[in-house]
């Protein structure tokens, strides 16, 4: 396998994340990023697992910034194109998300209709709620992760029949309810949504519904 591709797939360390965070802070100091953009990108950065995951948070920054080696690796093009989406769901995978995190405090959000689920999506609900409907959504990758932190809050997720789902969250005086798996899973070639995180005095409910189903 190509050396560059190997490097992009390598797991990033905390030191790597801090180096890239310094670049983002410098970009904000230079006026290239707003404070909101900086916060969103820092959250996405700390959720990154590999060097390739750094690319979305730095790709629109100029090349003259002092990028650390880890970020330089992330900017290199992949040695080969991503594999085509599974034939079982050709239109489900692809697209560019508009955000990679969401935070609700004493409020609520809804995502439904035509939207793109990021490969790593972070949700924080503190005394608030979030409703995510994936039935008309696209996935940035064939496998995505939705990481949830619900504190005195609730998150409801609806997945369609053609998406596999894996629910692996911890409840502390709260719960992750996986009703979706009880209705069966599609085949192994179908896209996968992993739902992880913690619910503290809160709850996460995952359901499977067909289009138009209430």
């Amino acid at each position: 396998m190509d050396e560059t591709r190997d490097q992009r797939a390598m797991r990033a360390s905390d030191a790597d994340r801090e180096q890239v965070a310094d670049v983002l802070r410098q970009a904000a100091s230079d006026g290239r990023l707003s404070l909101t953009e900086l916060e969103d990108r820092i959250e996405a950065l700390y959720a990154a697992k590999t060097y390739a995951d750094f690319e979305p948070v730095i790709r629109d920054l100029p090349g003259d910034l002092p990028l650390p080696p880890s970020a330089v690796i992330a900017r290199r093009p992949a040695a080969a194109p991503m594999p085509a989406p599974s034939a079982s769901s050709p239109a489900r995978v692809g697209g560019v998300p508009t955000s990679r995190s969401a935070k609700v405090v004493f409020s609520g959000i809804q995502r439904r209709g035509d939207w793109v689920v990021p490969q790593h999506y972070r949700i924080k609900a503190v005394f608030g709620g979030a409703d995510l409907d994936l039935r008309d959504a696209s996935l940035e990758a064939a496998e995505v992760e939705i990481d949830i932190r619900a504190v005195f809050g609730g998150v409801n997720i609806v997945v369609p029949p053609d998406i596999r789902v894996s629910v692996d969250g911890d409840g502390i005086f709260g719960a992750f309810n996986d009703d979706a798996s009880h209705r069966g899973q599609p085949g192994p070639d179908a896209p996968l949504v992993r739902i992880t995180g913690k619910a503290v005095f809160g709850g996460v409910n995952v359901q499977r519904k067909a289009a138009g189903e209430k």
Side-chain angles (χ1 to χ4, degrees):
M1 187 178 293
D2 184 86
E3 180 182 358
T4 300
R5 193 176 182 181
D6 279 346
Q7 289 178 315
R8 285 171 54 84
M10 287 177 60
R11 289 273 178 163
S13 68
D14 288 340
D16 294 324
R17 295 184 186 91
E18 285 301 325
Q19 286 181 316
V20 179
D22 287 341
V23 172
L24 294 176
R25 295 186 188 104
Q26 181 62 50
S29 177
D30 293 342
R32 303 182 194 276
L33 298 175
S34 69
L35 292 180
T36 299
E37 289 174 319
L38 175 62
E39 181 180 358
D40 289 345
R41 295 193 188 203
I42 289 290
E43 287 193 359
L45 171 64
Y46 288 141
K49 295 181 179 179
T50 67
Y51 289 144
D53 294 334
F54 289 172
E55 195 272 340
V57 303
I58 61 171
R59 62 186 168 196
D60 58 352
L61 297 180
D64 58 352
L65 287 176
L67 293 176
S70 55
V72 173
I73 291 171
R75 273 192 162 166
R76 294 173 185 166
M82 293 294 290
S86 165
S88 63
S89 184
R92 182 65 72 178
V93 178
V96 178
T98 57
S99 64
R100 298 184 180 274
S101 64
K103 183 186 299 182
V104 290
V105 181
F106 290 103
S107 60
I109 62 167
Q110 288 186 340
R111 296 301 305 267
R112 60 182 57 185
D114 184 9
W115 65 291
V116 180
V117 184
Q119 186 172 8
H120 302 292
Y121 194 31
R122 300 187 69 187
I123 302 288
K124 291 183 180 179
V126 182
F127 289 99
D131 291 306
L132 309 179
D133 191 332
L134 277 56
R135 286 178 289 183
D136 294 320
S138 299
L139 310 181
E140 184 182 22
E143 181 175 327
V144 304
E145 178 182 6
I146 301 176
D147 182 65
I148 298 169
R149 296 293 184 268
V151 182
F152 289 98
V155 177
N156 296 310
I157 302 175
V158 177
V159 297
D162 63 330
I163 288 181
R164 291 182 296 144
V165 64
S166 169
V167 180
D168 185 19
D170 298 323
I172 303 174
F173 294 103
F176 276 69
N177 298 316
D178 179 14
D179 294 327
S181 296
H182 297 161
R183 296 191 61 175
Q185 298 270 29
D189 291 336
L192 173 64
V193 174
R194 296 188 182 277
I195 299 171
T196 62
K198 291 183 179 179
V200 182
F201 289 100
V204 176
N205 187 41
V206 185
Q207 298 175 294
R208 187 183 301 280
K209 295 182 180 180
E213 184 178 351
K214 300 295 184 180

